[in-house]
C-alpha cells in the first residue's frame, strides 16, 4: 500500500460503527459461560440459606437438629461461625450476613446449609424450627414517616425563597403520589462459587457488578486482607443494579462455607429465594405543592419524598440524593424546596436499580406538570416547553450546577415534528369523541439525566492492554459485562486507538488481581470510565510503536499513522503485526496499564451543592395507548423515541439499550407490582405473581432514533452514556394512560393515578374521574 492507500483509510474507524455484541454468537449458541456454567471442581459442595419467616422478631430459640441430620448435609453454619465481620453493608455497617438474634424482614438469612447437592441443601434449609418473639413491624414508607423511622437522617435541598414565591403565585396545585418499587428480575439469579486456595487464599467466581466490593466484603467476613481474595466475573445474565451491593451476601456466604468446610462451595439462589432475600428499586411516596402563573410557568415548588429503604441503609442514601438532584428533570425551578427521607421498614433492604433514584425524582415533577396543563386546559407539551431550562439564562440546577449542554429544545422540536404529535393529538380527540368504551391517550415526555457517581472518588477506572507478538490484542478493565455491551465498546476503543480491526481484540474476565480497586459498573459510567482507561493504555502502546517506527524507517513519530491493520510511516506501509514483531525483538514494551479519573467533579453532601455530574444526557418519547374503560386493560400502540447518545460508540448497541430500557421502565410504571401481605411477606416473589412485560406488551410500531449531537465534554470519543437515562422515556406511557383516563371526563378532572398503573389502578382512576365529572 502507498500514499493512495493512506487516503483510502482516511475514513477508517472502529468506533461509531454498528458492531455485534462480542458474545452474541456465544449467546445464540448457548456457549457463553456464566458462573453456574463453570466446571465444578472435585469435592464441590452446594449451599442454601435458611430464611426468616417473620418481618420483625427476636429469635428466642432455633433448633437445627433436623437440618443437620438431613440427607447429604455436611455443615450448618450460623452467625457465630463467621470468622470475621458479620456485615455486608456497602456504606453503613448495619447489614448482617446472617441474622444474629434479631430478624428484620421475612426472607432475612439466618443460617447456611452446606450439602452435597443443590436440592439437598434447599430441602434441608426448610427443616429448621425457629421460636420467634414478634415485634411491631413497619411495612410502608408512609408508616415509616409517621413513626419517624429512618435508616439515615433526612436530607433537604433548597434554592431561593419558596415560601415567598408561593405567596406570589396566582395558582397552586397540591397532592400526593405513590410510585412503587421494582424487582430487577435479571435472567441469571444471584450466584457465587468460592474456591479455597493455598495460604488462606480464596477465589470467588461471582455474578456481580462490583468485584472490588465483593473482594472487600469476603475478606472482612473471613478475617483476611484483600490480597487473599480474588473475585472474578466474566459476564452476568443481567444486573440492573441488583448485583451492585446485593451480590455481597451470596459471595460472603459462599466464602464462609468454603472456609469452614475446606472445600469449594457454590451458592445459587432459587428465583423465589432470590426475590425474597434481595432488595429492589425503592418505592416513593410524595407530597407536593407547586405554584404557577396563568401561562403555566412554575414559580415555586416543594416536594417531600419518603422511600421504602427497607431494614438497612444499603445504597438508599445515594439513591435519595440522586432523586433529589433529578426532581427538576428538564425544568428550571427558581424557588424550590426538596425534602427526602429514607424510611426504615421491615422489608428487604432496597438497593440500586437502573436509574438509581433519578426516575423516581423526575416522575414527580412530570406528574405535577401534567396536572398544571389539565388545570389550565392546555396541552401538557406546551407547559413542559415553557418550563424547560434555558441556554443563556435559567440554566442553573437547584444544586448549583450550570447546564452548558442543553439540547432539550431542539431534541423535543425534532421529535414533535417527526412523530406528527399535533396531528395525532387532534385525531385522538376525534376518536375519543365517538368511542364511549375505548379511549386513546397521547403524551410526550422529556428527560435530562446527570452522568457520574454522586460520590466523586468513585469516578475512576483502570485497564490493561496487551499486544502480543502476532499482533493480537487483549484488554482487561474494571467494568463488568452484564449484556449491555461494555466489553464490545471497550474493544472498539482499543482497536481504534491501535488502528487494528476489531477481530484482533479480545476482552477477558473482570478480575480483582488484574485491575485493582475498581468502581461498580453503575451510574451509566461503565463505558465512559473504562473506555477512557483502555484508551489511555492503548495510546501509550501506540506511542511506543510510533517512536520505534520512526527510528526504524525515518520521519517523525507524530506522523506515523495506524489504520485498518496497517502502519503508515515515511511513505511506506507495513502490516501492524510486522511492526509489532520487530518492536518485540527491539525490546519495546508491548503492554501498558491505563487510568482515568473524571475531571471537574465536586459535591458537598451537607449543603447538597456542587457539580456532581460530568454532563447530562437528554431524550424524549411520544407514546400512544388505548385503554378499555370497562376492564382497565390497555395496549401500547406506538412509540417514537429520540435519545441523545452523543457520538455513539456503537449505534446498534445503543439503540438496543434504549429499547430495552423503555420496556423495562414501562413495566415498572404499569404491570410490575410488588405486594407484601399484612404479615410482611412479599407475595409477588416469582414469575407467576410478578408480571414483567412480555413480547405482546411491546408496541407493534416502535421507532427509536439517536439524536445527532456531540458531547460538549471530552468523554470517550464524545459519546454519551446510554444505560440508565432511557428508562425515563416510558414516562410517556404512564402519562398517555393518564391522558386516556382523563378523556372520560373531557380532560376537566385530574385522574389520581399511582404507579404501577395496573388495571385495578386504572379502573379506580376512571371511577374517580366519572364521579367528579358528573
Amino acid at each position: 500500500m502507498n500514499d493512495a492507500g493512506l487516503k483510502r483509510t482516511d475514513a477508517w474507524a472502529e468506533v461509531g460503527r454498528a458492531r455485534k455484541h462480542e458474545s452474541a454468537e456465544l449467546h445464540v449458541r448457548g456457549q457463553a459461560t456464566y458462573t453456574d456454567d463453570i466446571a465444578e471442581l472435585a469435592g464441590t459442595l452446594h449451599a442454601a440459606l435458611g430464611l426468616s419467616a417473620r418481618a420483625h422478631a427476636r429469635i428466642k430459640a432455633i433448633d437445627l437438629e433436623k437440618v443437620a441430620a438431613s440427607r447429604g448435609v455436611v455443615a450448618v453454619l450460623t452467625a457465630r461461625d463467621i470468622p470475621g465481620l458479620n456485615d455486608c453493608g456497602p456504606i453503613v455497617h448495619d447489614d448482617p450476613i446472617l441474622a444474629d438474634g434479631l430478624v428484620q424482614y421475612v426472607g432475612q438469612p439466618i443460617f447456611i446449609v452446606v450439602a452435597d447437592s443443590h436440592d439437598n441443601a434447599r430441602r434441608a434449609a426448610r427443616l429448621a424450627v425457629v421460636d420467634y418473639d414478634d415485634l411491631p413491624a413497619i411495612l410502608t414508607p408512609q408508616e415509616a414517616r409517621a413513626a419517624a423511622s429512618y435508616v439515615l437522617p433526612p436530607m433537604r435541598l433548597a434554592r431561593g425563597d419558596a415560601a415567598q414565591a408561593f405567596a406570589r403565585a396566582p395558582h397552586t396545585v397540591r397532592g400526593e403520589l405513590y410510585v412503587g418499587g421494582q424487582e430487577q428480575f435479571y435472567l441469571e439469579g444471584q450466584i457465587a462459587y468460592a474456591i479455597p486456595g493455598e495460604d488462606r487464599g480464596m477465589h470467588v467466581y461471582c455474578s456481580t457488578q462490583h468485584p472490588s466490593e465483593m473482594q472487600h466484603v469476603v475478606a472482612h467476613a473471613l478475617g483476611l486482607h484483600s490480597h487473599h481474595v480474588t473475585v472474578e466475573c466474566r459476564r452476568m445474565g443481567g444486573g440492573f443494579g441488583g448485583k451492585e451491593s446485593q451480590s455481597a451476601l451470596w459471595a460472603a456466604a459462599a466464602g464462609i462455607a468454603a472456609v469452614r468446610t475446606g472445600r469449594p462451595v457454590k451458592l445459587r439462589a432459587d428465583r423465589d429465594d432470590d426475590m425474597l432475600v434481595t432488595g429492589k428499586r425503592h418505592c416513593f411516596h410524595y407530597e407536593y405543592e407547586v405554584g404557577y402563573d396563568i401561562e403555566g410557568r412554575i414559580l415555586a415548588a416543594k416536594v417531600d419524598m419518603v422511600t421504602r429503604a427497607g431494614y438497612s441503609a444499603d445504597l438508599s442514601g445515594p439513591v435519595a440524593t440522586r432523586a433529589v438532584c433529578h426532581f427538576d428533570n428538564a425544568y428550571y425551578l427558581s424557588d424550590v424546596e426538596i425534602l427526602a427521607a429514607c424510611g426504615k421498614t421491615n422489608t428487604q433492604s432496597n438497593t440500586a436499580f437502573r436509574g438509581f433514584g433519578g426516575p423516581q425524582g423526575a416522575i414527580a415533577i412530570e406528574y405535577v406538570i401534567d396536572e398544571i396543563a389539565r388545570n389550565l386546559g392546555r396541552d401538557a407539551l406546551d407547559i413542559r416547553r415553557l418550563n424547560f431550562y434555558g441556554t443563556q439564562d435559567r440554566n442553573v440546577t437547584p444544586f448549583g450546577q450550570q447546564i452548558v449542554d442543553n439540547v432539550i429544545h431542539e431534541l423535543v422540536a425534532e421529535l414533535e415534528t417527526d412523530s406528527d404529535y399535533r396531528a395525532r393529538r387532534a385525531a385522538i380527540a376525534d376518536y375519543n369523541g365517538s368511542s364511549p368504551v375505548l379511549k386513546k391517550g397521547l403524551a410526550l415526555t422529556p428527560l435530562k439525566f446527570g452522568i457520574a457517581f454522586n460520590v466523586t472518588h468513585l469516578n475512576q477506572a483502570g485497564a490493561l492492554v496487551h499486544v502480543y507478538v502476532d499482533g493480537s490484542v487483549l484488554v482487561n478493565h474494571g467494568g463488568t459485562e452484564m449484556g449491555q455491551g461494555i466489553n464490545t465498546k471497550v474493544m472498539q476503543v482499543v482497536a481504534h486507538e491501535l488502528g487494528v480491526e476489531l477481530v484482533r481484540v479480545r476482552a477477558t474476565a473482570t478480575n480483582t488481581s488484574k485491575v485493582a480497586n475498581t468502581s461498580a459498573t453503575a451510574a451509566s459510567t461503565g463505558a465512559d470510565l473504562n473506555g477512557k482507561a483502555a484508551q489511555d493504555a492503548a495510546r501509550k502502546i501506540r506511542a511506543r510503536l510510533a517512536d520505534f517506527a520512526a527510528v526504524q524507517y525515518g520521519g517523525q513519530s507524530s506522523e506515523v499513522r495506524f489504520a485498518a491493520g496497517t502502519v503508515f510511516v515515511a511513505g511506506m506501509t507495513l502490516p501492524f503485526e510486522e511492526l509489532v514483531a520487530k518492536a518485540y525483538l527491539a525490546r519495546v514494551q508491548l503492554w501498558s496499564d491505563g487510568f482515568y479519573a473524571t475531571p471537574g467533579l465536586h459535591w458537598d453532601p451537607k449543603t447538597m451543592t456542587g457539580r456532581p455530574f460530568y454532563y447530562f444526557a437528554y431524550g424524549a418519547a411520544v407514546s400512544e395507548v388505548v385503554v378499555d374503560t370497562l376492564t382497565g386493560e390497555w395496549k401500547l400502540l406506538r412509540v417514537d423515541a429520540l435519545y441523545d447518545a452523543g457520538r455513539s460508540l456503537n449505534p446498534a448497541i445503543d439503540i438496543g439499550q434504549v429499547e430495552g430500557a423503555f420496556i423495562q421502565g414501562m413495566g415498572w410504571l404499569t404491570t410490575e407490582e410488588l405486594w407484601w401481605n399484612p404479615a410482611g411477606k412479599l407475595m409477588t416473589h416469582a414469575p407467576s405473581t410478578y408480571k414483567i412485560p412480555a413480547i405482546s406488551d411491546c408496541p407493534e410500531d416502535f421507532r427509536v432514533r439517536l439524536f445527532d449531537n456531540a458531547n460538549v465534554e471530552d468523554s470517550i470519543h464524545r459519546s454519551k452514556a446510554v444505560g440508565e437515562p432511557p428508562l425515563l422515556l416510558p414516562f410517556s406511557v404512564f402519562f398517555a394512560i393518564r391522558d386516556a383516563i382523563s378523556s372520560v371526563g373531557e380532560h376537566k378532572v385530574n385522574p389520581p393515578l399511582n404507579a404501577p398503573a395496573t388495571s385495578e389502578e386504572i379502573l379506580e382512576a376512571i371511577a374517580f374521574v366519572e364521579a367528579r365529572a358528573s
Side-chain angles (χ1 to χ4, degrees):
M1 189 181 292
N2 51 27
D3 287 343
L6 176 59
K7 291 179 181 178
R8 286 198 299 271
T9 63
D10 282 347
W12 181 88
E14 276 295 354
V15 296
R17 304 295 175 89
R19 296 286 187 259
K20 66 182 179 182
H21 191 286
E22 49 95 19
S23 296
E25 293 184 11
L26 297 177
H27 291 153
V28 172
R29 294 171 179 166
Q31 296 174 340
T33 300
Y34 294 88
T35 302
D36 200 32
D37 300 319
I38 296 170
E40 295 175 6
L41 297 179
T44 293
L45 298 172
H46 297 264
L49 301 177
L51 309 179
S52 166
R54 296 289 194 276
H56 193 200
R58 293 186 182 89
I59 298 176
K60 295 169 63 177
I62 181 168
D63 183 355
L64 299 173
E65 189 172 322
K66 290 183 179 179
V67 178
S70 184
R71 183 175 61 185
V73 171
V74 174
V76 182
L77 308 171
T78 62
R80 66 174 177 268
D81 297 304
I82 297 175
L85 187 64
N86 183 19
D87 177 74
C88 58
I91 301 174
V92 180
H93 299 301
D94 60 348
D95 204 340
I97 299 165
L98 298 175
D100 189 7
L102 176 71
V103 293
Q104 299 186 72
Y105 73 96
V106 175
Q108 183 171 5
I110 301 173
F111 60 91
I112 305 168
V113 181
V114 189
D116 59 359
S117 73
H118 174 75
D119 285 348
N120 283 343
R122 288 197 69 226
R123 292 177 189 278
R126 272 49 177 181
L127 301 178
V129 178
V130 183
D131 187 9
Y132 298 99
D133 182 10
D134 288 318
L135 299 169
I138 294 173
L139 301 179
T140 70
Q142 298 95 313
E143 291 173 3
R145 185 203 298 276
S149 173
Y150 305 118
V151 296
L152 296 166
M155 55 188 71
R156 176 180 181 270
L157 170 61
R159 176 169 68 178
D161 190 332
Q164 286 193 10
F166 273 117
R168 294 193 304 267
H171 300 285
T172 303
V173 59
R174 299 180 182 85
E176 296 184 27
L177 172 67
Y178 177 83
V179 175
Q182 185 181 21
E183 164 65 32
Q184 291 86 356
F185 216 94
Y186 25 67
L187 290 179
E188 176 202 31
Q190 298 280 1
I191 183 170
Y193 183 29
I195 302 171
E198 65 179 18
D199 192 23
R200 297 183 296 164
M202 181 69 67
H203 195 115
V204 182
Y205 295 95
C206 184
S207 183
T208 180
Q209 295 172 237
H210 201 347
S212 287
E213 176 70 15
M214 301 310 103
Q215 179 189 36
H216 299 158
V217 170
V218 173
H220 293 157
L222 302 183
L224 302 173
H225 293 295
S226 291
H227 68 207
H228 288 105
V229 178
T230 298
V231 175
E232 182 173 336
C233 178
R234 172 58 181 93
R235 61 174 60 85
M236 289 166 275
F240 309 116
K243 296 176 181 176
E244 182 175 345
S245 64
Q246 297 273 311
S247 48
L249 166 66
W250 313 90
I256 293 164
V259 162
R260 286 306 185 194
T261 61
R263 292 164 64 178
V265 174
K266 180 186 286 187
L267 172 56
R268 173 171 58 84
D270 174 84
R271 178 66 66 178
D272 294 80
D273 289 350
D274 192 319
M275 293 182 71
L276 281 171
V277 173
T278 60
K280 295 88 174 63
R281 183 189 298 281
H282 293 69
C283 74
F284 273 61
H285 180 264
Y286 314 80
E287 296 177 0
Y288 59 85
E289 180 180 6
V290 174
Y292 57 97
D293 65 18
I294 194 170
E295 298 295 324
R297 182 178 287 106
I298 294 174
L299 304 176
K302 179 179 180 179
V303 64
D304 192 351
M305 307 182 280
V306 60
T307 77
R308 179 192 276 124
Y311 80 97
S312 68
D314 195 81
L315 297 173
S316 292
V319 166
T321 299
R322 187 167 281 263
V324 167
C325 291
H326 283 78
F327 172 67
D328 60 333
N329 195 17
Y331 311 109
Y332 177 73
L333 304 176
S334 59
D335 297 86
V336 61
E337 183 179 16
I338 308 168
L339 307 172
C342 303
K344 181 171 183 176
T345 56
N346 296 111
T347 55
Q348 292 79 359
S349 187
N350 284 330
T351 189
F353 195 136
R354 197 176 197 170
F356 202 78
Q360 295 99 310
I363 196 170
I365 195 67
E366 293 296 342
Y367 194 88
V368 168
I369 286 180
D370 195 58
E371 299 222 317
I372 292 172
R374 204 166 284 110
N375 290 345
L376 295 176
R378 302 273 303 280
D379 191 304
L381 174 57
D382 296 327
I383 305 302
R384 289 186 166 98
R385 180 175 277 122
L386 182 67
N387 286 284
F388 280 161
Y389 274 106
T391 54
Q392 303 303 317
D393 59 1
R394 294 168 51 88
N395 62 348
V396 179
T397 68
F399 48 88
Q401 179 166 346
Q402 184 176 0
I403 299 173
V404 298
D405 59 358
N406 187 1
V407 295
I408 196 66
H409 296 270
E410 302 93 319
L411 188 150
V412 168
E414 183 177 323
L415 180 64
E416 179 186 4
T417 300
D418 291 349
S419 66
D420 296 320
Y421 176 83
R422 299 293 176 179
R424 291 166 64 194
R425 170 65 73 194
I428 285 173
D430 291 341
Y431 175 91
N432 287 340
S434 60
S435 178
V437 174
L438 300 180
K439 298 292 185 180
K440 288 186 176 181
L442 187 73
L444 188 158
T445 58
L447 73 88
K448 174 185 67 65
F449 196 92
I451 304 299
F453 288 100
N454 276 73
V455 180
T456 302
H457 75 264
L458 296 178
N459 295 284
Q460 59 174 299
L464 293 172
V465 173
H466 295 177
V467 176
Y468 294 99
V469 177
D470 64 354
S472 63
V473 182
L474 193 70
V475 58
N476 186 272
H477 58 89
T480 51
E481 176 64 56
M482 61 195 91
Q484 85 280 33
I486 185 174
N487 281 348
T488 309
K489 288 184 174 182
V490 171
M491 288 162 59
Q492 287 180 268
V493 168
V494 171
H496 184 85
E497 205 64 33
L498 294 175
V500 300
E501 300 87 349
L502 184 59
V503 294
R504 289 180 182 259
V505 183
R506 186 166 183 249
T508 55
T510 310
N511 186 304
T512 56
S513 68
K514 294 182 180 179
V515 178
N517 308 320
T518 59
S519 295
T521 305
S524 300
T525 63
D528 282 9
L529 295 176
N530 295 283
K532 275 286 196 180
Q535 182 187 51
D536 180 47
R539 187 167 287 171
K540 292 174 183 176
I541 298 171
R542 189 189 66 187
R544 293 179 197 138
L545 289 172
D547 290 342
F548 172 72
V551 171
Q552 287 291 107
Y553 302 105
Q556 300 296 317
S557 61
S558 60
E559 297 174 348
V560 179
R561 185 171 172 212
F562 298 79
T566 304
V567 182
F568 302 86
V569 53
M572 301 173 53
T573 63
L574 68 158
F576 177 78
E577 62 269 24
E578 183 177 327
L579 180 65
V580 167
K582 290 181 178 180
Y584 168 73
L585 294 176
R587 297 186 294 180
V588 175
Q589 182 179 335
L590 296 175
W591 61 270
S592 182
D593 62 330
F595 181 77
Y596 176 73
T598 310
L601 303 178
H602 57 93
W603 176 250
D604 185 339
K606 294 180 180 178
T607 63
M608 300 200 75
T609 57
R611 188 196 176 197
F613 306 121
Y614 189 36
Y615 61 85
F616 294 94
Y618 300 87
V622 178
S623 290
E624 181 179 344
V625 304
V626 61
V627 174
D628 186 327
T629 59
L630 298 182
T631 66
E633 294 176 291
W634 62 278
K635 185 172 181 60
L636 180 58
L637 302 175
R638 174 177 165 182
V639 172
D640 296 75
L642 185 58
Y643 181 72
D644 168 29
R647 292 280 185 255
S648 172
L649 291 173
N650 187 321
I653 283 178
D654 286 349
I655 287 174
Q657 284 291 292
V658 174
E659 292 171 341
F662 190 98
I663 298 301
Q664 187 172 54
M666 181 184 77
W668 165 48
L669 295 173
T670 59
T671 64
E672 297 184 39
E673 184 176 25
L674 295 167
W675 184 74
W676 286 263
N677 69 14
K681 181 178 181 179
L682 178 69
M683 303 303 292
T684 49
H685 55 78
S688 58
T689 53
Y690 185 78
K691 298 302 183 182
I692 65 172
I695 292 295
S696 59
D697 297 309
C698 299
E700 292 184 8
D701 194 350
F702 199 179
R703 311 181 189 190
V704 176
R705 292 192 301 109
L706 300 180
F707 185 63
D708 186 16
N709 175 46
N711 197 339
V712 299
E713 299 294 348
D714 183 25
S715 60
I716 185 68
H717 291 285
R718 302 287 174 171
S719 64
K720 287 192 176 183
V722 74
E724 295 174 301
L727 194 125
L728 281 68
L729 293 173
F731 285 4
S732 56
V733 176
F734 179 82
F735 289 107
I737 292 172
R738 198 177 188 216
D739 182 58
I741 297 170
S742 172
S743 71
V744 173
E746 298 183 355
H747 301 295
K748 298 184 184 302
V749 178
N750 277 311
L753 187 66
N754 294 311
T758 61
S759 294
E760 294 87 347
E761 186 70 29
I762 289 171
L763 287 176
E764 288 184 14
I766 290 171
F768 179 91
V769 170
E770 288 175 334
R772 288 296 179 94
S774 62

